[in-house]
Amino acid sequence: MGRVYNFSAGPAVLPEEVLKEAAAEMLDYNGTGMSVMEMSHRSKAYQEIIDTAEADLRELMNIPDNYKVLFLQGGASQQFAMIPMNLMKNKKADYIVTGQWAKKAYQEAKLFGDARAVASSEDKTYSYIPDCSDLDISEDADYVYICENNTIYGTKYKTLPNTKGKTLVADVSSCFLSEPVDVTKYGVIYGGVQKNIGPAGVVIVIIREDLITEDVLPGTPTMLRYKTHADNGSMYNTPPAYGIYICGKVFKWIKKMGGLQKMKELNEKKAKILYDYLDQSKLFKGTVVAKDRSLMNVPFVTGSEELDAKFVKEAKAAGFENLKGHRTVGGMRASIYNAMPIEGVEALVQFMKKFEEENA
Ligand SMILES: *Cc1c(COP(=O)(O)O)cnc(C)c1O
């Protein structure tokens, strides 16, 4: 069997070119006679891999010098704890709850201090982004937290919340490198890479230097302090070395593709094909408020659980994998990350049209 069109929400599709390159280098990376997997992370060859990855990411995102780039482990979920442990100086933080990941982060923060939900879209199954232009932000909040793209529900902030001067912390796991960002608007940008950048096991944290201090909550383990990793160039202990190497290749691929502006244009084009079809379909419909639609995760339903299941099954047989919606929302979800080619989206829409005709 050849490669399928993989619409998984994560771990997700990676550029074929990157996979082929990694395969070609598997036994002998760049004349070292070994795989990157087998290499000391203290070796010159590996130092060059991680340094190049960081430099390319800095270039792609235009990351200012007063931000550190950390390559960590523990998944995005570990950041749910690391953020309050390191940033909750006043033990106060405001959370905007736009889905399960934001809610998990909010609940985790409550273990460490006074976390407040200042807005939520839970009332309508997270199908929209609340108006965040004038929230009741606490005077002494240490930060305001968002999940910028809601992987499960398929919503995305089109404008960042007005934090009233407080530090903005954003989980961008499922929209990382999907479009240009102004890093200076954030104190912390972080994400697990397994959605849009690389293999599971790496989390990238981009953090403003003044937020990296020794003044962390009492009992914060060494490994969970940003300072530990910042002071050691993400090499305090063995980093997720092979994963970082693949991320580096994806950064190079994005650069070659034309950078984040180009990614954005491509992503808009792909998403439009799918949303335009959904908007006129008599069978399928999108589940979120149009203005808040994600470019990356597109949930849709037929309105009948039976037909949904039939669609997922027939799609799979036709080579469209992982279209089943998240277990908590049902229906379908097509994740169309950077590495999903436009042909994949076009083919999916053709298949949906055919299914609609057959099941009218
Ligand atoms: C997948 C996901 C997570 C969880 O990531 P893990 O690496 O499994 O901990 C958190 N936030 C968002 C937005 C996600 O999409």
Side-chain angles (χ1 to χ4, degrees), residues 7-286:
F7 293 92
S8 171
V13 58
L14 286 171
E16 210 167 292
E17 222 176 288
V18 166
L19 298 176
K20 282 184 176 151
E21 252 182 57
E25 292 171 353
M26 185 58 79
L27 296 182
D28 175 10
Y29 172 76
N30 203 14
T32 57
M34 61 179 93
S35 164
V36 173
M37 246 183 266
E38 303 170 297
M39 198 175 271
S40 165
H41 59 293
R42 307 285 177 202
S43 64
K44 190 164 163 279
Y46 193 74
Q47 190 65 51
E48 197 181 304
I49 289 173
I50 192 168
D51 289 346
T52 306
E54 176 172 341
D56 285 338
L57 181 65
R58 284 186 176 277
E59 188 185 325
L60 278 172
M61 292 180 72
N62 197 16
I63 300 173
D65 289 341
N66 64 326
Y67 285 73
K68 290 277 192 211
V69 173
L70 310 176
F71 295 97
L72 307 179
Q73 307 190 50
S77 301
Q78 184 162 281
Q79 294 306 309
F80 299 170
M82 270 182 88
I83 287 157
M85 285 175 133
N86 285 270
L87 265 47
M88 260 193 180
K89 319 282 180 200
N90 299 323
K91 292 212 169 199
K92 260 206 181 148
D94 289 346
Y95 280 70
I96 301 172
V97 182
T98 52
Q100 274 197 34
W101 296 119
K103 190 175 179 181
K104 281 192 172 162
Y106 162 59
Q107 285 169 335
E108 188 74 6
K110 286 207 263 191
L111 298 175
F112 301 100
D114 179 12
R116 290 197 316 147
V118 289
S120 168
S121 53
E122 194 168 9
D123 59 334
K124 290 185 181 151
T125 1
Y126 302 118
S127 57
Y128 68 101
I129 299 289
D131 177 1
C132 298
S133 57
D134 185 19
L135 298 172
D136 175 28
I137 305 290
S138 313
E139 287 276 307
D140 52 351
D142 293 303
Y143 59 89
V144 175
Y145 182 102
I146 62 168
C147 176
E148 195 161 331
N149 184 79
N150 296 279
T151 326
I152 297 173
Y153 301 93
T155 58
K156 159 115 204 299
Y157 286 81
K158 300 296 158 79
T159 47
L160 292 174
N162 175 3
T163 65
K164 307 198 172 164
K166 303 298 175 199
T167 297
L168 179 63
V169 174
D171 174 356
V172 301
S173 294
S174 50
C175 59
F176 227 150
L177 302 181
S178 63
E179 55 184 280
V181 313
D182 180 354
V183 174
T184 63
K185 293 200 168 130
Y186 305 77
V188 181
I189 302 177
Y190 80 92
V193 305
Q194 74 272 26
K195 310 288 161 69
N196 209 17
I197 303 181
V202 183
V203 182
I204 298 173
V205 178
I206 301 161
I207 177 168
R208 214 174 55 224
E209 272 169 355
D210 60 281
L211 298 170
I212 306 173
T213 67
E214 314 238 16
D215 177 23
V216 296
L217 296 186
T220 300
T222 308
M223 274 293 286
L224 299 189
R225 297 170 186 230
Y226 290 125
K227 193 161 191 321
T228 302
H229 300 286
D231 286 352
N232 291 283
S234 301
M235 296 264 222
Y236 169 72
N237 68 327
T238 320
Y242 194 81
I244 294 167
Y245 153 78
I246 299 290
C247 292
K249 289 201 174 296
V250 172
F251 301 153
K252 289 260 186 257
W253 175 78
I254 297 175
K255 279 175 68 176
K256 206 173 94 187
M257 294 284 287
L260 297 191
Q261 185 55 39
K262 191 68 208 256
M263 279 332 309
K264 179 180 190 218
E265 287 161 25
L266 284 169
N267 287 326
E268 282 174 345
K269 208 165 154 187
K270 285 188 287 178
K272 188 174 185 315
I273 295 171
L274 197 43
Y275 286 125
D276 280 354
Y277 169 67
L278 288 171
D279 285 343
Q280 58 75 57
S281 171
K282 301 233 163 16
L283 178 65
F284 297 103
K285 54 176 187 302

